[in-house]
Amino acid sequence: MSYLNGAILIILAGVLWSTQGLIIRLIPDTGSWAILFWRSAGMLPVLMLWIGLAARGSIMTEIRSVGWAGVLGGLGLVMAFSGAIYAFQATSVANAVLLFAASPFCAAILGRVLLGEGVSGLTWFAIALAAFGILVMVGGGLAGGAMDGNIAALASALGFAIFTVTLRWGKLANMLPAVALGGVFSMIAGAIALAILGKAVLIPLPEIAISAAMGAVTLTGGMLLYTIGSKVVPAAQATLLSLVEVLLAPLWVWLLLDETVSRGTLIGGAVLLAAVVLNAYGGRVSRVQGAHPLGVARLTPRIFERRGCP
């Protein structure tokens, strides 16, 4: 595959991901736990098919191979997926996708604390810059009554950071079986939460179809496109190409739902994106690359190419 084709695939992945906030807004009466359940149900068949094709039919062998690292990473994805869905419902789409971009910085800090990974001075500066941008954005959410949505978006970023760090801890070269476990755990968590809340798993058929299609096409389809494209595109450039999602996600809801962006989101988001760009060109981006199938800075196979690390 040529570099150009790989870059096109990554951009297409970002376009697919950028539609998720809009899709969730189009089914406002469906609770976040029901969306989590049915989106995960749509995601799993596509993932299993891909894993089976890659492993030549040995799906369960691939899933068992991830061990406890994959289990812990899958649990992190439950937090990531549920937080992201709630964030799209409770705060602006622009706020949500921008706050998701904190994932690689959370991964850098967790990797330093839990795994003893080194963090460069430039990365620490980028983390501080990102923190300032987040404070500006969250402060705007407090004033606008969307604090719970902002907290959910940050929790989602933390969940994907946990996923990333557990994969590093387990030295897993293939993330997709762990993602599949995350889908299974998300279905279980969604069903339990719905039972506790006294709500039915079965929702109107059109909403089931929309949620499942979102999981199969926009989430997993984008993830697979990104994974293929990242084989020929360097990690730093892939991260920057995926910023197309952050640009397009607010555009869709503005065009179709007339959702505007606050000044705090614009200022804080610009600072946060500057930190992402700075980190991507810091020379050691692969050490702190985050994993966020709903936001910028996703996991790629190059996450495991930690130059200078044992």
Side-chain angles (χ1 to χ4, degrees), residues 83-164:
I85 293 171
Y86 184 82
F88 279 135
Q89 293 182 321
T91 188
S92 70
V93 170
N95 255 40
V97 295
L98 285 166
L99 290 173
F100 294 157
S103 180
F105 303 120
C106 294
I109 295 172
L110 288 178
R112 179 74 181 97
V113 173
L114 300 178
L115 304 181
E117 295 178 346
V119 179
S120 68
L122 184 60
T123 297
W124 281 121
F125 176 76
I127 289 172
L129 190 63
F132 174 73
I134 290 170
L135 285 174
V136 174
M137 293 177 65
V138 171
L142 181 62
M147 178 54 73
D148 56 340
N150 288 337
I151 292 174
L154 289 173
S156 178
L158 178 60
F160 282 108
I162 292 171
F163 172 71
T164 303

Side-chain angles (χ1 to χ4, degrees), residues 33 37 185-199 201:
W33 292 113
F37 180 91
F185 297 155
S186 294
M187 288 188 68
I188 295 172
I192 292 174
L194 288 169
I196 292 174
L197 295 172
K199 297 183 178 180
V201 172

